[in-house]
Each structure stands twice: as C-alpha cells, then as structure tokens.
Amino acid sequence: MMGPVERAFSAPGKALIAGGYLVLYPEYDSYVTALSSRMHALLRGQETEKHIRKITIESSQFAEGVWSYDLDPDIPFGNIKEAQGRRNPFLEATLMCVLAFVDADSRPGFDITIRIFSDPGYHTRDDTTARVSSNGKRQFLYHKKKINEVAKTGLGSSAGLVSVVTAALLSYFTGDRDVETLRNTVHNCTQIAHCHAQKKIGSGFDVAAAVYGSIVYRRFQPCLIDEILKHEFHSMQGNPALALDYKGALQLLVGSDWHFKIEKCALPPGIRLVMGDVQVGSETPKLVSLVLRWKQANPVEGEKLFEILNKANGSLISALSLLHELQRENPAAYSSMLKDYQVAIENGAEKAEVEPLRRISAAIATMREHLRALTAATGADIEPLSQTALLDRCSRLPGVLGGIVPGAGGFDAICLLVLNDAIPTMLQTTENDQFFSNVKWLPLHEESDGLLETSPEDYAGL
C-alpha cells in the first residue's frame, strides 16, 4: 500500500491585455498576462481499502468552506454529491473529469484532503483578517462570509481553482514528480472540467494562462470539447456501459493534440502592469452575448471591425516583442530609452530613441478606438464612457504608456502599462486626486510562470 502523499501547487490569475472578443475565435492571436495573485492547492492523500473513496476539499478562508465527497467505489466519477448538499459545480466537474481520466475505479481506495488558498488579489479585502504561515512565506486573507457572497475582482479564480485541484489530483494518481510532464494533461483536463462547470465552451484563455503563464494565445476549436460535454453519461451517471464509454472518450480527448497556440511571453524589462479595481462590477456573459449576437446579425460589418481590431492587437504584440529585442541587443541603450521617454513626452520632442515606446502607446490608443466602435455598434459596455474618462486621465500620468479595460471590458477594472520607475509617483498622484477615489490599485504584478509545484511547508500553520 502506498504511503501518505503531500504535494502543493499554485497557478496565476490573468489579465487579457489584447484580444477581447477576438479570443473567442481560433483565427486570432491574444496577449494574456499571468499575474502574481495565485490560487493554491495543498494535497494530502493516502491509499485505503478499495471500498473507501473519499475526497475532502477545504477552503478555510471562507465560511462553510468544506466540501466532502464519498464516492461510488464502482464509478467514482459518477453521481458526485457533497455530503451536506453543498453544491460547487467547479469542484464536482473537476472530480468527475480527473477521476475518469485516471481510471480511478480500477485503482486502490483513497482518502484525499485538498486545502485551497487564494491570494488577496482575487477578492475584496473588505472585512478580512490576515493570517501568515509558520515560516512567513504565505499570507492569506480570511473572510467571514461564504465564498459565493464575497465580491471577486475578475482575475480568473475559477480557472485557477480548477487548475490547481486538477494538478494536485493528477500528481497523486499518476505519481509523476515533474510538473512539466503533467502540464498539457492538466490543461486539457482543466479546460473540459471548466467548460462543464460553466455549461458552455469558453475561449479558454483563463485556463491556458493558469497552466502556461503569460502567453500569446490562439484558442482550440470548440468542437473538440462539444461532444464530451453532450455525452449521454451526464444524464445517466450510474450506467456502467455509459461510464465506460465516457471514460474512454475522455481519455482519448485529454491525450490528443488540441492544435492551439501557447507561445510564452512576458512584458519587457522596466515595464509593469498595474491593475485598478473600479468596484462597480460587470456581467461578462451578458457583454459577450451582445457582441456575438451583433456579429451574427451583421457579418460583413462585424468581420471588418474584428479585422482592424486584430491588426491593432498585432501592433501591440509586435511592439512588446521589439522591446525585448532591443533590450537583448543593447541593454544600456534600452535603459536610456526608458529614462528619456518621460522627458521626451513632456517636451513634445519627436525623439527617435523613444519611438519603440511610442508604438506601444499608439497601439493601445488604436485598440481602444476600435473597442469603443464595438461598444457603439453592439450596445455592450465594453469601454463605457466612465471608463473612457478614467483611462484618458490615466494615460496623461507620467510614465503611463496606456491603459485598457481588460478582457470583455465593462466596469470591473482597468489595466495600465507603466514604466517601472514611474509607479511610485503615479500611485502618490492618484491617491491625492479625488478623480481616482473609486479606484483601488491592486497589489499585484505580472508573474509570467504558470502552474508551479510549491512546498507544502509554506502552508503550515494556516
């Protein structure tokens, strides 16, 4: 019998810098930045007698944050129900997908506990208490409310949650010691489970960022997942024949090549991402449905607008790539360019040395122009007037290259690209300006790594 296993994993949040709405289509590139706020999963598990198949998932940062599952010994991935009747579609879909993939019904019994933690950037900080791990390496905020009653900031908490739980379970059942060999399997399982939980096939960029980190992303074909989501097993989960067929189809799908683009990237040195929570909130599915409905009703106009928006997105991606090349070729000249930029802007000088930075500002301005056109055409609040005023004001702050409403847009947040050295001044300036009173700058930055294995010791005492 296998001895006790203890492993921990973390996955980052995300910000979609370029690719809003186009990310839904497999022919367009998007630029996704992974963030320093991460979701964490600490697994402790051991083998038991075959008739015992138990998984407990705890999220002690929230009230009533415990979900216990006593699974069917014969079909452990079927009829997954929490002991106290507490529904969590994301956990249920994750267990179903992973347990089917690893052929859990043919394995020894197991008793697994997974503790979930989320970094402070994912949720509101209101009415919280901070706790620090015994070794001081982790600090989390504890809420008095249930998880579904706490406001989120839109960093992709569900994608991160499913990613780390999937990674933890796969590591236990496969015994694989190298996270790299698990990465593609984690991604494919997570995408399927996440779509099942949401009852729709999303673009998948949030899951891809959680697993692979900062990436230039082009989505998989939605039809890949469609068949497994419609499998008859979902309506008759106690049927052994359907369970066997579902398991085989799932294993084949997870192990196949999805032919999507995940090209690693990172923001250029000296340029930071700064996110502000605007504390209003938006309904992303509603925004997306408005845009998709409009494009379907106006195919010619829609295609034209999408193509010019794609061109602007490509300009930003190219401009960021160019800065990496310049930094590699001549680090000293690159540093001088960063220092000279603000002086050139203030003096109105057309200084050739800072032109690569101007390209970023120009690309962001063009992206915003086309997103405002999409707002006007569809009626979806992609860049609402209040956000336009806020971003225009931010763009005039020293060191700010430009800013957008990330992802699907709306009132949730804004995202700025700022010269690193200018950030302290920017924060002080906005703190003293009533215009920015409804903006909370989030304590996070780009962290380009995706899924990582971490030390279980870092969570002791929490």
Side-chain angles (χ1 to χ4, degrees), residues 295-317:
K295 189 171 186 291
Q296 190 173 19
N298 304 272
V300 176
E301 185 184 354
E303 196 65 31
K304 182 179 178 182
L305 185 49
F306 272 37
E307 284 300 329
I308 58 175
L309 183 54
N310 180 54
K311 186 176 179 181
N313 293 341
S315 296
L316 177 62
I317 294 170

Side-chain angles (χ1 to χ4, degrees), residues 124 195 249 259 286 312:
T124 178
C195 289
H259 300 290
K286 184 178 178 181

Side-chain angles (χ1 to χ4, degrees), residues 177-338:
R177 303 306 303 177
D178 182 5
V179 72
E180 283 307 316
T181 60
L182 278 177
R183 197 176 297 275
N184 289 345
T185 303
V186 170
H187 171 268
N188 293 0
C189 278
T190 301
Q191 290 284 18
I192 296 166
H194 200 242
C195 289
H196 181 76
Q198 292 186 312
K199 295 182 168 39
K200 67 183 180 68
I201 303 174
S203 67
F205 81 88
D206 46 1
V207 169
V211 177
Y212 298 105
S214 294
I215 46 174
V216 176
Y217 174 75
R218 187 175 289 198
R219 72 162 304 166
F220 52 86
Q221 292 287 347
C223 59
L224 266 173
I225 295 181
D226 192 50
E227 191 172 328
I228 202 76
L229 294 187
K230 293 177 178 176
H231 198 284
E232 285 184 287
F233 169 70
H234 296 306
S235 58
M236 291 184 281
Q237 294 193 9
N239 185 308
L242 286 176
L244 185 64
D245 188 74
Y246 173 80
K247 181 170 62 177
L250 180 75
Q251 290 169 343
L252 191 64
L253 175 59
V254 172
S256 66
D257 187 345
W258 288 24
H259 300 290
F260 64 106
K261 181 176 182 177
I262 39 166
E263 185 180 289
K264 283 290 292 176
C265 66
L267 291 175
I271 295 177
R272 282 270 303 273
L273 174 144
V274 177
M275 287 196 70
D277 180 9
V278 186
Q279 301 177 290
V280 178
S282 303
E283 295 181 59
T284 297
K286 184 178 178 181
L287 296 178
V288 171
S289 66
L290 282 171
V291 173
L292 295 182
R293 198 180 310 137
W294 170 81
K295 189 171 186 291
Q296 190 173 19
N298 304 272
V300 176
E301 185 184 354
E303 196 65 31
K304 182 179 178 182
L305 185 49
F306 272 37
E307 284 300 329
I308 58 175
L309 183 54
N310 180 54
K311 186 176 179 181
N313 293 341
S315 296
L316 177 62
I317 294 170
S318 297
L320 293 170
S321 180
L322 174 63
L323 289 182
H324 280 287
E325 291 177 25
L326 294 174
Q327 197 274 337
R328 284 193 296 269
E329 290 170 1
N330 193 333
Y334 181 83
S335 295
S336 295
M337 176 183 66
L338 298 180

Side-chain angles (χ1 to χ4, degrees), residues 45-109:
Q46 60 184 12
E47 284 188 3
T48 62
E49 300 300 322
K50 191 172 176 74
H51 67 279
I52 298 175
R53 296 172 183 277
K54 183 175 182 179
I55 296 178
T56 303
I57 300 176
E58 302 174 358
S59 182
S60 56
Q61 290 172 259
F62 302 92
E64 299 182 16
V66 179
W67 297 268
S68 297
Y69 302 93
D70 290 308
L71 306 166
D72 185 335
D74 298 317
I75 310 177
F77 52 90
N79 295 320
I80 293 172
K81 294 178 181 175
E82 201 276 329
Q84 303 298 319
R86 293 175 182 164
R87 292 297 314 279
N88 189 315
F90 292 100
L91 295 181
E92 292 161 19
T94 302
L95 296 185
M96 179 178 66
C97 184
V98 175
L99 294 174
F101 175 75
V102 300
D103 203 12
D105 45 317
S106 67
R107 293 174 177 269

